[in-house]
Amino acid sequence: MASVTSVVLRPEGYDLPAGQRRVLRWTIYIGYAALIAGVFHGLANALSYAGISILGWFPGLSTYYQGLTAHGVANVLFFTFTFANAFLPLMTGRALARPLNTGLLWASFITLVLGNILTIYAVVGNHASVLYTSYAPLQAHWTYYLGLVLLVVSTYFALANMIMALVGWKKANRGERIPLLAYISVTSYVMWLLASLPIAVEFIVFLLPWSLGWRSHVDPLLTRTLFWFTGHAIVYVWLLPAYVSWYALIPRQVGGAVISDSYTRIVWILFLLLSIPTGMHHQYTDPGISNAMKAVHGVLTFGVFFPSLATAFSVMAALEIGGRRAGGTGLLGWIRKLPWKDPSVLAQILAMLTFVLGGATGLVNASFSMNQVIHNTTWVPGHFHMTVGTAVALTLMGVAYWLIPYLSQRRLFGNGLALASSWIYTIGVLIFARGMIDGGLHGMPRRTFMAEANYRSPAWELPGILTGIGGTMMFIGVMLFFAVIGLTIVLGKREGAPQDIPVSVTLTAPAKDGWEPMLDRLGIWVVAAIVLILIAYGPFLIGYDVVPVSTGFRLF
Ligand code: HAS
Ligand code: CU
């Protein structure tokens, strides 16, 4: 394997203009700040399952649900999208060796900051304790909905930037295949563009006017369905920037190579096709949706499991090439030869390993009958802390270990601390998820302040303690990460920062003829995705009788 000749995805370096570097750097800082701001209540929530309440330590916190809303909104909405808004355009620019559009970078940054200010105002002021799923009939202050709308708008500017760079590149390179790194970055946000439309309708047509008093009633099942129409695809929008790193950057970081150009593109096309028509697997227990529709979504969910299985194979093969090139022999000897002391690599390998369990639990969720057992229990946060909470969050921490030095032009400060952070976080999440998964199987409820609940089951005792211990370790892990990033920005040596982004090589060049160039015709794949969406949501939407029954409730 190691002797196959490699083809560099894009050989030349990339001169990122200083002005653009600054906007991207601040966008990324805001993303990591959201990560850090959000984890405080994560700690409180985990400890509450162990029967410990620390809510009194939070100045200005009115209720548990205010904290839980802050945790969800900051960590899964602002952190993930803010990171992607900077990372994906940067990858596109690098892959195409073209500058980005500074105006669009600013537009994305400004809408993001405004969105942040409005949402922080609403959540911190306890005007929006509705949790990140924003289910009606719980009603938030209009600034909350508008803030999230602006967050979505900021992603459109980021996509526009990538499309502009791509169109410019295509004009200058007629007949050439799109460089792989640009292809996967752009496709990730094209999928998001399609996926975001239902939530835009939910917020702009229903929830925002309802919150402003312009609309008196909404239909909670309809708004909830619109939420999950976008909401399942959202989880892949969180995941795909991590996959961009696993496919296109990690092989280089471990001295390996991407095993196949077409294989990688097909994985992204499968995500484009299958991420969206699967949202009803979050609604298996909802009345008002036919079993037939739930079955269609269930089957397609098993379909979207496949590109992640394919990713497991491809990513592992890329790591194996690196390990063998470094002298690893035998069946597993290559594993020891991976650069475990490189904090960026370590974090991401630990994220991948945890994702195996995140994926397996997802399969249980997706199975209709098993979902009846675990729905609305702590099993579900057990699942998603191993997916978005580790596969994504820990990968993005790993990326920070080269990206922050790259953008700030300072050398990483505290290698050892960074390594410790990833180990502590990973061991923590495994203990935490073990607790949540086990408790969930015994009906331990999610989204419940267990420290003060007046009902408990003996079967929740040990799971609750594990959740508390694991959650505390995760918190310590993130705080160490925060220390490393803070120290790097303030004390990191100015020289010696990485001058380039670690773009990988593929084992074979993309084919210029045959069927493979079809993979680059994104328009065709977008049309195919729309057809699948119509099949999956058309019958429900056409047959649905909208019954706006609900006024807003503010229980906070
Ligand atoms: Fe999920 C609920 C099904 C993936 C996030 N999910 C959630 C919720 C969140 C979430 C946040 O079908 C809760 C929402 C809420 O608040 O109610 N999920 C799935 C399935 C997958 C899946 C089938 N989920 C994710 C990802 C997420 C995420 C990714 C975030 C990023 N999920 C569900 C369902 C529910 C659900 C139901 C509803 C539950 C309910 O009742 O409420 C799959 O896509 C997973 C595929 C993953 C794999 C793993 C591949 C492994 C790889 C690593 C390989 C590398 C290695 C390294 C091994 C197949 C790629 C080797 C290294 C060496 C050194 C050897
Ligand atoms: Cu889902």
Side-chain angles (χ1 to χ4, degrees):
M1 245 178 158
S3 62
V4 183
T5 45
S6 300
V7 180
V8 180
L9 293 180
R10 197 75 204 173
E12 66 271 37
Y14 181 50
D15 215 0
L16 182 64
Q20 302 196 351
R21 186 183 294 267
R22 196 173 314 120
V23 197
L24 289 170
R25 189 169 74 231
W26 280 99
T27 309
I28 288 284
Y29 288 167
I30 291 179
Y32 288 112
L35 169 70
I36 289 148
V39 297
F40 286 89
H41 194 271
L43 174 67
N45 201 20
L47 287 175
S48 100
Y49 280 98
I52 301 167
S53 169
I54 58 164
L55 289 191
W57 299 2
F58 292 71
L61 186 79
S62 303
T63 68
Y64 165 78
Y65 288 104
Q66 185 189 7
L68 195 54
T69 305
H71 177 57
V73 170
N75 283 2
V76 299
L77 299 181
F78 276 98
F79 166 50
T80 48
F81 280 107
T82 306
F83 177 87
N85 274 356
F87 182 68
L88 296 177
L90 176 62
M91 292 302 110
T92 307
R94 167 64 181 84
L96 303 174
R98 289 181 80 86
L100 296 163
N101 179 298
T102 310
L104 284 172
L105 280 181
W106 275 108
S108 176
F109 180 75
I110 290 167
T111 39
L112 179 84
V113 171
L114 287 177
N116 252 295
I117 292 172
L118 290 176
T119 311
I120 290 173
Y121 162 78
V123 174
V124 171
N126 195 29
H127 308 301
S129 301
V130 297
L131 304 183
Y132 87 99
T133 39
S134 313
Y135 291 149
L138 285 178
Q139 189 184 59
H141 190 257
W142 61 268
T143 46
Y144 171 81
Y145 301 115
L146 187 60
L148 292 180
V149 167
L150 288 176
L151 172 67
V152 173
V153 172
S154 77
T155 65
Y156 295 161
F157 285 124
L159 174 62
N161 213 336
M162 291 191 267
I163 300 275
M164 263 185 72
L166 185 60
V167 169
W169 178 88
K170 274 190 164 172
K171 270 196 198 131
N173 296 274
R174 294 211 183 273
E176 294 288 322
R177 296 291 305 276
I178 303 170
L180 184 61
L181 175 58
Y183 179 89
I184 59 181
S185 303
V186 176
T187 309
S188 302
Y189 254 21
V190 167
M191 186 275 274
W192 165 239
L193 174 68
L194 276 184
S196 66
L197 302 177
I199 213 171
V201 172
E202 183 198 4
F203 276 39
I204 296 170
V205 178
F206 296 108
L207 299 185
L208 189 54
W210 176 60
S211 162
L212 284 164
W214 300 345
R215 187 188 262 288
S216 61
H217 293 75
V218 292
D219 176 338
L221 178 61
L222 179 65
T223 49
R224 191 176 151 96
T225 304
L226 289 171
F227 181 86
W228 287 118
F229 197 157
T230 295
H232 179 70
I234 266 189
V235 311
Y236 294 120
V237 184
W238 303 335
L239 181 70
L240 289 180
Y243 272 15
V244 166
S245 172
W246 295 1
Y247 270 94
L249 309 180
I250 274 288
R252 165 81 169 272
Q253 291 177 273
V254 303
V258 187
I259 57 162
S260 162
D261 179 276
S262 299
Y263 184 109
T264 310
R265 288 178 211 247
I266 290 170
V267 163
W268 256 264
I269 289 174
L270 287 173
F271 278 118
L272 176 60
L273 293 178
L274 295 171
S275 294
I276 305 168
T278 45
M280 284 179 185
H281 66 223
H282 293 267
Q283 297 180 283
Y284 284 150
T285 55
D286 281 19
I289 299 175
S290 71
N291 282 343
M293 291 319 304
K294 290 175 183 171
V296 169
H297 285 242
V299 170
L300 290 172
T301 302
F302 284 97
V304 78
F305 194 75
F306 179 73
S308 285
L309 281 182
T311 299
F313 174 77
S314 170
V315 167
M316 229 182 303
L319 292 175
E320 182 178 349
I321 296 170
R324 293 203 186 280
R325 282 181 183 164
T329 50
L331 190 61
L332 298 175
W334 57 271
I335 295 177
R336 276 197 308 118
K337 292 287 178 184
L338 291 171
W340 293 97
K341 291 272 153 51
D342 175 337
S344 175
V345 171
L346 174 75
Q348 297 187 61
I349 291 182
L350 293 178
M352 293 171 194
L353 289 169
T354 308
F355 192 44
V356 174
L357 296 174
T361 46
L363 216 48
V364 171
N365 299 345
S367 310
F368 185 89
S369 48
M370 284 196 266
N371 184 277
Q372 310 299 305
V373 179
I374 52 78
H375 184 65
N376 273 342
T377 72
T378 52
W379 167 288
V380 176
H383 159 70
F384 69 68
H385 283 84
M386 294 190 290
T387 53
V388 64
T390 305
V392 176
L394 190 55
T395 293
L396 304 194
M397 292 191 237
V399 169
Y401 295 140
W402 67 259
L403 182 61
I404 299 270
Y406 172 77
L407 291 174
S408 64
Q409 295 182 308
R410 287 175 183 270
R411 199 185 289 173
L412 188 72
F413 190 99
N415 228 55
L417 271 188
L419 294 170
S421 158
S422 297
W423 281 114
I424 293 172
Y425 189 89
T426 305
I427 296 169
V429 80
L430 292 175
I431 297 173
F432 168 91
R434 179 70 179 81
M436 291 234 130
I437 293 276
D438 185 10
L441 288 176
H442 291 97
M444 185 157 79
R446 67 182 286 203
R447 295 180 157 178
T448 303
F449 188 48
M450 288 312 298
E452 282 176 13
N454 54 8
Y455 50 90
R456 286 193 79 85
S457 155
W460 303 344
E461 289 300 325
L462 181 61
I465 292 169
L466 293 177
T467 302
I469 295 172
T472 307
M473 291 178 71
M474 291 163 75
F475 179 78
I476 295 170
V478 177
M479 287 302 126
L480 290 179
F481 166 76
F482 178 49
V484 171
I485 295 307
L487 290 170
T488 299
I489 294 169
V490 180
L491 297 178
K493 271 212 192 103
R494 278 212 178 265
E495 86 275 31
Q499 295 305 306
D500 197 10
I501 293 161
V503 183
S504 304
V505 297
T506 46
L507 290 179
T508 47
K512 290 230 171 98
D513 39 39
W515 58 272
E516 288 165 273
M518 277 283 290
L519 300 174
D520 288 11
R521 311 236 342 239
L522 279 177
I524 297 179
W525 301 111
V526 167
V527 171
I530 292 173
V531 171
L532 275 175
I533 294 168
L534 291 178
I535 293 172
Y537 276 99
F540 171 80
L541 292 175
I542 291 168
Y544 188 71
D545 251 344
V546 182
V547 193
V549 282
S550 203
T551 55
F553 287 82
R554 296 193 180 191
L555 308 174
F556 36 89

